Amino acid sequence: MAAFESITLKDPTSSLTATFVPAAGMIGTSLADGDDEFLGQRRGLDAYVTAGKTMGIPILYPWANRLSDTSYDVDGTAVTLTPGENGVRVDANGAPIHGVLSGDGGWQVTAREDNSLTAVFDFGARPNLLASFPFPHLLTQQVTLADRTLTIETTVIPTGSQEVPLCFGYHPYFRLPGVPREKWTLTTPAMRHLPVDDRGLPTGAHDPWPARTEPLPVLDDGFDEVPDGAVFSLQGGDRRITVVFETGYPAAQLFAPDSDDVVAIEPMAAPTDALRRGGYRRAIPGRPETMRFTVAVGA
């Protein structure tokens, strides 16, 4: 497999660093303080690029998690997805999963400083991707590291006459180095729980999820009604990771398997399967939409 250039950002006020790989899908591969790594490495970068196996902080675009079928319709524009073509990957049940940009090398770096990075993806310039998501637009990701906080800001700019559905998300995997999983505690805000079936798709049911702090359970659960500014945190020993859904992410997925010492706290612009079920926002021509979340590492 070809080597990809990685870009490491340095926090001007601390020893924290963050590493991103624009040519491999603009994935974040490290958030570290010296030898202490706070992102789950899982199967590594090669498996992400070649097989879409997520690790670090990948963007799931233009839909997060799964779709319940290989077709969808937006205002009369009917789309049929073909597994294995035009960026489409499917899970073991044949459900299209994690969008079409996993590992894609189309990101172009437009600005770079010691602690910040901006990259742009011209979705409208890629006929193969438009076959899966026929809404031309520019996708911009701006990453900044300062005051022990990583900020990821994502902007969708329509470049045609069509509105662009906002159903994407991120899938950051977190870990607390040097602290055993059984001592990890998860804090979550008040939101609405959306149970999923054995395929990982929403059942259509919902129930309240009061704010809580608890020992990290095994999770693979969806949520909506997540307010702007919602705070999630993972803590254990003298370690703490705080994730804030600053703006534009009203949905979430929490994933904490029993097979790996990681927890994913996933900011989502819409719930799982929204591209088929509806209920999503849109970027309107002339009115770009910007979404932002932060990850703070501290004691």
Side-chain angles (χ1 to χ4, degrees), residues 61 75 135-138 155-166 280-291:
Y61 198 91
D75 297 335
F135 310 98
H137 62 282
L138 292 176
T155 301
V156 176
I157 307 170
T159 53
S161 59
Q162 293 170 288
E163 299 177 356
V164 182
L166 301 174
Y280 49 79
R281 306 185 332 276
R282 309 176 190 217
I284 298 170
R287 281 172 37 194
E289 290 283 343
T290 297
M291 288 118 302

Side-chain angles (χ1 to χ4, degrees), residues 72-163:
Y72 65 91
D73 186 288
V74 176
D75 297 335
T77 298
V79 180
T80 299
L81 303 171
T82 303
E85 296 183 10
N86 303 321
V88 178
R89 289 188 169 99
V90 295
D91 68 8
N93 295 309
I97 188 167
H98 295 343
V100 299
L101 292 191
S102 295
D104 196 291
W107 290 89
Q108 301 296 317
V109 175
T110 57
R112 177 177 173 181
E113 298 183 9
D114 287 346
N115 75 318
S116 67
L117 170 66
T118 301
V120 176
F121 192 101
D122 188 351
F123 204 97
R126 295 282 297 276
N128 63 320
L129 299 182
L130 289 173
S132 296
F133 191 70
F135 310 98
H137 62 282
L138 292 176
L139 177 64
T140 298
Q141 191 175 140
Q142 182 174 0
V143 182
T144 305
L145 184 65
D147 300 322
R148 299 193 65 82
T149 300
L150 177 68
T151 300
I152 298 179
E153 188 170 272
T154 309
T155 301
V156 176
I157 307 170
T159 53
S161 59
Q162 293 170 288
E163 299 177 356

Side-chain angles (χ1 to χ4, degrees), residues 3-299:
F4 296 101
E5 180 191 9
S6 61
I7 297 176
T8 297
L9 308 180
K10 298 179 180 180
D11 182 354
T13 63
S14 77
S15 53
L16 198 67
T17 61
T19 301
F20 285 77
V21 187
M26 193 55 187
I27 187 170
T29 57
S30 175
L31 182 62
D33 194 346
D35 294 331
D36 292 332
E37 176 59 64
F38 292 88
L39 296 185
Q41 300 298 301
R42 310 199 81 213
R43 303 171 186 86
L45 182 61
D46 286 4
Y48 175 64
V49 173
T50 59
K53 303 296 184 181
T54 49
M55 55 86 65
I57 306 178
I59 186 172
L60 313 181
Y61 198 91
W63 66 85
N65 298 315
R66 295 167 175 82
L67 298 180
S68 57
D69 205 340
T70 54
S71 64
Y72 65 91
D73 186 288
V74 176
D75 297 335
T77 298
V79 180
T80 299
L81 303 171
T82 303
E85 296 183 10
N86 303 321
V88 178
R89 289 188 169 99
V90 295
D91 68 8
N93 295 309
I97 188 167
H98 295 343
V100 299
L101 292 191
S102 295
D104 196 291
W107 290 89
Q108 301 296 317
V109 175
T110 57
R112 177 177 173 181
E113 298 183 9
D114 287 346
N115 75 318
S116 67
L117 170 66
T118 301
V120 176
F121 192 101
D122 188 351
F123 204 97
R126 295 282 297 276
N128 63 320
L129 299 182
L130 289 173
S132 296
F133 191 70
F135 310 98
H137 62 282
L138 292 176
L139 177 64
T140 298
Q141 191 175 140
Q142 182 174 0
V143 182
T144 305
L145 184 65
D147 300 322
R148 299 193 65 82
T149 300
L150 177 68
T151 300
I152 298 179
E153 188 170 272
T154 309
T155 301
V156 176
I157 307 170
T159 53
S161 59
Q162 293 170 288
E163 299 177 356
V164 182
L166 301 174
C167 298
F168 74 96
Y170 285 85
H171 201 315
Y173 290 93
F174 300 113
R175 60 188 295 269
L176 297 176
V179 183
R181 187 191 192 280
E182 58 267 23
K183 294 186 178 181
W184 295 4
T185 298
L186 180 68
T187 297
T188 53
M191 46 192 177
R192 189 169 71 164
H193 180 222
L194 307 176
V196 297
D197 61 20
D198 57 6
R199 300 172 298 161
L201 292 163
T203 64
H206 56 80
D207 53 81
W209 181 278
R212 63 185 70 177
T213 298
E214 60 184 337
L216 180 65
V218 174
L219 289 166
D220 192 1
D221 293 79
F223 303 86
D224 67 359
E225 299 186 357
V226 183
D228 277 357
V231 178
F232 301 75
S233 68
L234 179 69
Q235 58 248 349
D238 61 352
R239 310 286 194 182
R240 183 182 181 92
I241 298 171
T242 302
V243 183
V244 182
F245 289 20
E246 299 280 358
T247 185
Y249 293 113
Q253 189 84 7
L254 296 177
F255 176 58
D258 57 6
S259 58
D260 195 358
D261 290 349
V262 295
V263 55
I265 302 171
E266 307 173 39
M268 295 166 57
T272 296
D273 203 31
L275 193 53
R276 282 183 46 80
R277 302 182 189 214
Y280 49 79
R281 306 185 332 276
R282 309 176 190 217
I284 298 170
R287 281 172 37 194
E289 290 283 343
T290 297
M291 288 118 302
R292 183 174 63 256
F293 73 97
T294 61
V295 180
V297 176

